[in-house]
Amino acid sequence: MKGKYENLIPAGMTRYRCIVEYDGSDFHGWQSQVCGNAVQDHLERRLKEITRETVRIHGSGRTDSGVHAKGQCFHFDCRWHYPPETLLRALNSGIPAGIVVRKAAFAKDGFHARFSARGKRYCYKIVEGYPTPFEQRFCYGIAGTLDVEAMSRAAKMLLGKHDFSAFGATHASVERENPIKDLRRLDVVRRGKKITVTTEASGYLYKMVRRLVGGLIKVGQGKMTPEALLAYREARVCDAVVPTAPARGLTMEKVFY
Amino acid sequence: MKGKYENLIPAGMTRYRCIVEYDGSDFHGWQSQVCGNAVQDHLERRLKEITRETVRIHGSGRTDSGVHAKGQCFHFDCRWHYPPETLLRALNSGIPAGIVVRKAAFAKDGFHARFSARGKRYCYKIVEGYPTPFEQRFCYGIAGTLDVEAMSRAAKMLLGKHDFSAFGATHASVERENPIKDLRRLDVVRRGKKITVTTEASGYLYKMVRRLVGGLIKVGQGKMTPEALLAYREARVCDAVVPTAPARGLTMEKVFY
């Protein structure tokens, strides 16, 4: 089991487990950056103010700049020991607009936000035409109409445990990570002019969700058949035939433990 | 009838009538400002690029900095004459994110966005607790719970054609404007932790909707009885007993013509 040692809570410390929501539009993604404007940076700075310790938080995984989250999970260890409700109030009173910590709890020994995760659900929102200013930050507006029936057919064909190298970001990233992922769910649902793609998998390669959506959009536009998209996955070669859908449409919905 | 001359379309010119939506969070209100960041400024700059004329637009009314709109209406005259669909596409391709022109049409002679308006509908959104990052820009998060039943009772008592000076922003503004307004609708509806106040009236004093909502919130918090709020209106004296609810919860929904 990977990360075995990191799963243990150091003596004298308390491990907290939190759920955080964010509108990713104005942040430089989840993972700590030199600029200090990643979601992780804002949370760590606030935790230092609260606990007076240097706290390192561990997220379930990264999200790119512009990607949102409704159910990002993170944990951290510190000597500060107060009820989780106190932590929740303190965190929310000193972080920027656009980030809200929704839940806080004591974590059990052995829990690790990243290594204990069994899968994740993401949603990608598409709007045909101009999105309203109220949904603009959270969806991708597309010209013309999409053939959702064809997209659904293609989505079903991609399901299962396969090598998803073709949907990774670059060859470099594929080399570092096991490209075999179990894609358990890939739904395409239309409500009026809004189309939502929902995906659940054991894990994802870097940019995999946005590239799956990019491929499905090409199918929906009639520029690629569902069979061609399947053949693309089977060739296991990552290339620009399949575009990467813009970050703003993507939301990390839930981490499964 | 006021504004009679402005209702006539000058010879050789075309009058267009548009509906615009905006997320007011990042703009300095509707009305043109020296800083150039009002919604009107962005639209006029884009119209100048499209028509190569200096175009002055007329909105149905102002909205304050931070207030949103789903149905703001404006008109303008220019020598440029193309189908409204062309105008719509051109406008939307060159204005900042957060502003979307939803409709464009030729206006009839006699139509004036402000003087022809017969009333307006506004919505104000309140959330008990922390709003999610996705609704944060568009609603007011409030600690504790509100007694919506009491708010509804107070709202009903305020209805009708009355002097609303007490809900104006300052004595100065009241002096300039007729304080008699016909408040036709004032609803308070709860859905879970979300409370929406909807109002329709012939017109509003400056900040009137936000001060009506401020008064209703005080009633909902048990800090004022519905009868006291009615008595406050009847005293016709604008004072700080009734607070002004924050701009971000307010959206101009529709202008009636």
Side-chain angles (χ1 to χ4, degrees), chain A:
Chain A
M1 194 185 173
K2 57 181 174 175
K4 197 174 175 184
Y5 296 107
E6 286 149 277
N7 288 7
L8 302 174
I9 306 176
M13 297 189 100
T14 301
R15 179 164 295 181
Y16 295 90
R17 166 184 180 165
C18 299
I19 300 285
V20 61
E21 300 183 320
Y22 46 88
D23 167 355
S25 315
D26 300 329
F27 303 108
H28 286 74
W30 166 262
Q31 196 181 43
S32 194
Q33 298 290 327
V34 177
C35 66
N37 189 34
V39 176
Q40 184 180 358
D41 296 321
H42 290 290
L43 291 167
E44 288 182 349
R45 267 199 299 273
R46 182 63 189 141
L47 282 169
K48 189 170 187 175
E49 290 169 1
I50 297 168
T51 64
R52 298 185 187 185
E53 301 168 49
T54 297
V55 175
R56 183 64 192 264
I57 69 175
H58 301 269
S60 72
R62 308 174 194 180
T63 56
D64 282 344
S65 185
V67 173
H68 320 289
K70 284 190 180 167
Q72 169 69 297
C73 181
F74 67 89
H75 83 264
F76 62 92
D77 298 327
C78 61
R79 301 199 172 273
W80 186 89
H81 186 93
Y82 282 96
E85 307 80 63
T86 308
L87 171 72
L88 193 64
R89 262 197 309 276
L91 265 171
N92 281 322
S93 66
I95 46 176
I99 307 176
V100 175
V101 184
R102 191 53 63 185
K103 285 185 188 166
F106 293 127
K108 285 182 186 143
D109 203 5
F111 175 82
H112 189 287
R114 182 147 71 99
F115 301 137
S116 306
R118 288 161 186 274
K120 278 176 202 149
R121 181 165 68 224
Y122 279 92
C123 275
Y124 194 97
K125 289 184 188 160
I126 304 163
V127 169
E128 291 170 346
Y130 291 109
T132 70
F134 311 101
E135 60 195 13
Q136 219 169 42
R137 294 163 77 90
F138 312 116
C139 70
Y140 174 36
I142 204 165
T145 54
L146 295 177
D147 178 350
V148 167
E149 200 268 321
M151 292 169 78
S152 292
R153 214 147 38 85
K156 277 204 186 66
M157 292 165 75
L158 296 173
L159 288 177
K161 203 165 182 175
H162 302 286
D163 182 328
F164 282 93
S165 300
F167 293 98
T170 60
H171 291 287
S173 76
V174 172
E175 276 163 27
R176 276 185 276 114
E177 209 178 328
N178 182 357
I180 312 287
K181 303 292 175 191
D182 185 10
L183 187 62
R184 298 167 197 151
R185 177 177 171 188
L186 188 60
D187 291 346
V188 186
V189 173
R190 172 190 288 279
R191 274 193 193 177
K193 290 185 173 299
K194 295 181 190 177
I195 294 141
T196 305
V197 181
T198 305
T199 172
E200 289 178 17
S202 55
Y204 301 89
L205 295 168
Y206 183 51
K207 299 212 169 156
M208 180 172 147
V209 184
R210 288 162 60 189
R211 302 201 71 233
L212 283 169
V213 172
L216 291 174
I217 288 173
K218 269 196 109 166
V219 170
Q221 290 171 327
K223 292 178 184 166
M224 201 174 191
T225 62
E227 291 71 21
L229 190 62
L230 177 64
Y232 172 78
R233 189 203 68 203
E234 286 173 343
R236 293 181 296 152
V237 178
C238 175
D239 93 22
V241 170
V242 160
T244 304
R248 65 179 174 283
L250 187 60
T251 303
M252 181 199 273
E253 292 278 326
K254 197 176 164 70
V255 186
F256 300 105
Y257 289 103

Side-chain angles (χ1 to χ4, degrees), chain B residues 132-152:
Chain B
T132 69
F134 311 99
E135 60 195 14
Q136 217 170 45
R137 296 163 77 91
F138 312 116
C139 71
Y140 174 36
I142 204 164
T145 54
L146 295 177
D147 178 349
V148 167
E149 201 269 321
M151 291 170 79
S152 292

Side-chain angles (χ1 to χ4, degrees), chain B:
Chain B
M1 194 186 173
K2 57 181 175 174
K4 198 173 174 185
Y5 296 108
E6 285 149 277
N7 289 7
L8 302 174
I9 306 176
M13 297 188 102
T14 301
R15 179 164 294 181
Y16 295 91
R17 167 183 179 167
C18 299
I19 300 285
V20 61
E21 301 183 319
Y22 45 89
D23 167 355
S25 315
D26 300 328
F27 303 108
H28 286 74
W30 166 261
Q31 197 182 41
S32 195
Q33 298 289 327
V34 177
C35 66
N37 189 35
V39 177
Q40 184 180 357
D41 295 322
H42 291 289
L43 291 168
E44 288 181 349
R45 266 199 300 274
R46 182 63 189 140
L47 282 169
K48 189 170 186 176
E49 290 168 1
I50 297 169
T51 64
R52 299 185 186 185
E53 302 168 49
T54 298
V55 176
R56 182 66 191 264
I57 70 174
H58 301 269
S60 71
R62 307 176 195 179
T63 55
D64 283 345
S65 185
V67 173
H68 320 287
K70 283 189 181 168
Q72 169 70 296
C73 180
F74 68 88
H75 83 263
F76 62 92
D77 299 328
C78 61
R79 301 197 174 274
W80 185 89
H81 186 94
Y82 281 95
E85 307 80 65
T86 308
L87 171 71
L88 193 64
R89 262 198 308 276
L91 265 172
N92 281 323
S93 65
I95 46 176
I99 306 176
V100 174
V101 183
R102 193 49 66 184
K103 285 183 188 170
F106 293 127
K108 283 181 187 145
D109 204 6
F111 175 82
H112 190 287
R114 181 147 72 98
F115 301 136
S116 306
R118 288 159 186 273
K120 276 175 204 149
R121 180 165 70 224
Y122 279 93
C123 275
Y124 195 97
K125 289 184 187 159
I126 304 163
V127 168
E128 292 170 346
Y130 291 110
T132 69
F134 311 99
E135 60 195 14
Q136 217 170 45
R137 296 163 77 91
F138 312 116
C139 71
Y140 174 36
I142 204 164
T145 54
L146 295 177
D147 178 349
V148 167
E149 201 269 321
M151 291 170 79
S152 292
R153 214 148 37 83
K156 277 205 184 63
M157 291 164 78
L158 295 173
L159 288 177
K161 202 166 184 175
H162 301 287
D163 183 329
F164 281 93
S165 299
F167 293 98
T170 59
H171 292 287
S173 76
V174 172
E175 276 163 27
R176 276 184 275 117
E177 209 179 328
N178 182 356
I180 311 290
K181 304 291 174 192
D182 186 10
L183 187 62
R184 298 167 198 152
R185 177 178 173 188
L186 189 61
D187 291 346
V188 187
V189 173
R190 172 191 288 278
R191 274 193 193 177
K193 290 186 172 298
K194 296 180 189 179
I195 294 142
T196 305
V197 180
T198 306
T199 172
E200 289 178 17
S202 55
Y204 301 89
L205 296 168
Y206 183 52
K207 298 210 172 158
M208 180 170 147
V209 184
R210 288 163 59 189
R211 303 202 70 235
L212 282 169
V213 172
L216 291 174
I217 288 174
K218 269 196 109 167
V219 170
Q221 290 172 324
K223 293 179 184 165
M224 200 174 191
T225 63
E227 291 73 21
L229 189 62
L230 178 63
Y232 172 79
R233 189 203 68 204
E234 285 171 343
R236 293 182 295 150
V237 179
C238 175
D239 93 22
V241 170
V242 161
T244 304
R248 65 179 174 283
L250 188 61
T251 302
M252 181 199 272
E253 292 278 326
K254 197 177 164 70
V255 186
F256 300 105
Y257 289 104

